[in-house]
Amino acid sequence: MDGEVSRRLFLKGLGGVALVLGLPGLGRAQGNRGRATYNWDEFSYVYLIDVTKCIGCGMCVQACKRENMVPDGFFRTWIERYRIGEGGRVEVDSPNGGLNGFSSTIVDFKVTKAFFVPKMCNHCKNTPCTQVCPVGASYTTRDGVVLVDEKHCIGCGYCVQACPYGSRYLHPVTHVADKCTWCYHRITKGLRPACVMACPVKARELGNMKDEQDPVRRAIATEPVLVLRPELLTKPNCYYKGLDKEVR
Amino acid sequence: MALLVIVVLVIFHIVRTLFTPPSFGKFGHYRADNLAEQMSRETIHGESNSCEPCHGEKNKSWAIEAHGSVQCEVCHGPLGWHVSEGAKVGKMPVTRQVSLCLRCHDRLDGRRANFPQIVPTEHLKKVGGEMGPEVCLGCHDPHAPAIGG
């Protein structure tokens, strides 16, 4: 396993010299796009999903797969379709995570309302997943992103079980925990996450709570928004507009 | 006894030092080096302006059409498949299949009423045509999808 080998080398003293010295300069863009330097103290990321806009095309799932090389059958983000009928009947489906979009399948009740709900890691403030990690491989960055150190992770899967949103999985090749990073390699270069970039209807947006002019910050402050499963007190940083009570 | 305690403490300290990565704890209970590793990962997709250096003029005319909010890479594939370090490395895939159009425009429960969508069989009946793998492109140009202005 790559992670184990790397760690072993690290322990033998071949891990190299620490690279991180205050972060400015580290986020240098590889091309000519984006910002030249990155200072994480200027950012506090939040994510806003507008359920009323989502059309369930699955382009976000596809872009995430390609950007992050997510293995087949696993998802860092996925879309669920909720169909609700008379008498409170609910049908939820997510064929292949919505990777290829949805088709008009039949349900045996009259649908009175229906909507698509994109899901992903909520990058919670009180995140259960990092708390249970026995080796400190899962952590929250100063700018509010929950990450996994794949070289340090031992693949115990404890965090996968701890996440109440089902946002993590054990990677079938590396055998360590994997999850949405809000495309940390992109946002620190001034690019949008792949899912946000790919959404044709602007149902997904990433914002910065430290920027007073940020439209997402304004939307969260001035419009009705909800989070998934607030009763768990995980304080998600992923907000939803137009969320129905049936969504879990 | 005291000697034993000291020996145990020394061994513990040595083992702890050996097993803790050098940058662990610098910013919190994690390996700080991982931040740089995460940030330095290569991007596969570009951004809305990534196509402009080579396809600028076309980009401008397409951007005002109904599909102006759809990024090039959504239909054509990631920039990284096409360009690497400023050089062309592969041809962008061009998908002409009905299935690509229907991902967004097939009438489904859950799609808001004001979003353009069709039931393919009904639409073809109305406009006259037979279902085929590229039937949409017979009338609609994906870069300017509206018909008759």
Side-chain angles (χ1 to χ4, degrees):
Chain A
M1 191 167 75
D2 285 353
E4 278 183 354
V5 172
S6 302
R7 197 169 174 202
R8 208 170 296 131
L9 292 173
F10 221 158
L11 295 173
K12 283 178 179 173
L14 298 174
V17 182
L19 291 170
V20 180
L21 288 168
L23 283 171
L26 277 170
R28 204 167 297 282
Q30 290 167 333
N32 55 2
R33 305 181 306 275
R35 61 177 73 85
T37 57
Y38 180 74
N39 180 3
W40 66 357
D41 287 323
E42 293 171 6
F43 295 87
S44 178
Y45 293 107
V46 282
Y47 201 95
L48 183 62
I49 294 172
D50 191 337
V51 174
T52 63
K53 284 184 181 171
C54 181
I55 56 169
C57 64
M59 292 301 185
C60 51
V61 183
Q62 179 178 278
C64 174
K65 282 255 178 198
R66 289 170 170 175
E67 182 71 35
N68 299 295
M69 282 159 277
V70 179
D72 290 346
F74 296 89
F75 303 92
R76 286 185 176 196
T77 184
W78 67 99
I79 305 173
E80 293 172 0
R81 172 169 59 180
Y82 283 71
R83 283 178 286 186
I84 299 168
E86 287 162 344
R89 296 194 57 187
V90 181
E91 170 80 17
V92 185
D93 68 340
S94 182
N96 203 15
L99 176 63
N100 302 308
F102 288 76
S103 55
S104 50
T105 54
I106 310 257
V107 284
D108 62 349
F109 57 88
K110 186 174 184 292
V111 177
T112 55
K113 60 178 170 181
F115 43 84
F116 297 97
V117 184
K119 288 194 172 174
M120 62 199 300
C121 171
N122 286 265
H123 296 268
C124 308
K125 288 187 204 80
N126 287 340
T127 173
C129 54
T130 63
Q131 291 174 34
V132 300
C133 180
V135 295
S138 192
Y139 62 96
T140 305
T141 62
R142 203 176 286 173
D143 42 11
V145 182
V146 178
L147 297 175
V148 176
D149 180 348
E150 67 172 10
K151 287 185 181 170
H152 200 55
C153 176
I154 56 171
C156 68
Y158 207 0
C159 59
V160 178
Q161 285 196 319
C163 175
Y165 304 102
S167 303
R168 290 170 170 248
Y169 62 91
L170 281 179
H171 196 290
V173 177
T174 61
H175 303 292
V176 297
D178 195 37
K179 65 178 288 296
C180 162
T181 63
W182 274 344
C183 284
Y184 202 64
H185 62 298
R186 293 176 59 84
I187 60 177
T188 51
K189 293 171 187 145
L191 308 174
R192 294 175 293 173
C195 53
V196 175
M197 187 277 299
C199 181
V201 293
K202 295 187 167 46
R204 311 178 70 130
E205 286 181 273
L206 185 78
N208 176 16
M209 292 300 268
K210 287 190 175 172
D211 178 2
E212 288 185 10
Q213 306 304 315
D214 189 276
V216 173
R217 174 181 150 142
R218 193 178 308 119
I220 291 168
T222 61
E223 295 176 44
V225 289
L226 279 173
V227 294
L228 292 174
R229 306 189 68 179
E231 74 279 7
L232 296 175
L233 307 177
T234 53
K235 296 188 178 173
N237 273 323
C238 191
Y239 292 83
Y240 284 84
K241 268 159 84 168
L243 203 62
D244 189 85
K245 69 180 175 60
E246 296 295 347
V247 180
R248 293 288 177 269
Chain B
M1 186 64 191
L3 186 66
L4 186 66
V5 171
I6 291 167
V7 169
V8 168
L9 282 174
V10 168
I11 291 171
F12 173 77
H13 184 73
I14 291 169
V15 169
R16 190 168 181 270
T17 309
L18 277 174
F19 278 79
T20 306
S23 67
F24 199 91
K26 187 175 171 70
F27 297 125
H29 191 66
Y30 60 92
R31 197 171 60 89
D33 283 355
N34 185 243
L35 287 163
E37 291 162 11
Q38 297 269 1
M39 289 162 73
S40 63
R41 272 185 51 216
E42 198 181 338
T43 56
I44 307 296
H45 290 82
E47 257 294 349
S48 51
N49 58 356
S50 299
C51 308
E52 265 178 36
C54 299
H55 307 283
E57 286 309 309
K58 285 181 181 176
N59 229 7
K60 273 175 203 149
S61 61
W62 295 339
I64 56 169
E65 298 291 345
H67 278 168
S69 64
V70 184
Q71 301 293 321
C72 308
E73 293 168 271
V74 170
C75 296
H76 289 290
L79 179 73
W81 294 359
H82 182 51
V83 177
S84 180
E85 294 174 357
K88 185 174 173 180
V89 292
K91 208 174 172 190
M92 266 316 213
V94 177
T95 307
R96 302 171 62 86
Q97 306 296 314
V98 173
S99 54
L100 178 65
C101 310
L102 292 183
R103 280 181 77 134
C104 295
H105 298 293
D106 193 10
R107 187 179 298 284
L108 295 179
D109 290 336
R111 283 195 175 145
R112 58 181 195 272
N114 62 354
F115 186 79
Q117 52 196 307
I118 56 152
V119 176
T121 48
E122 288 177 10
H123 183 67
L124 286 173
K125 210 171 164 184
K126 192 175 143 191
V127 299
E130 283 185 22
M131 181 55 95
E134 299 177 8
V135 67
C136 304
L137 301 190
C139 300
H140 299 278
D141 173 0
H143 298 126
I147 293 192

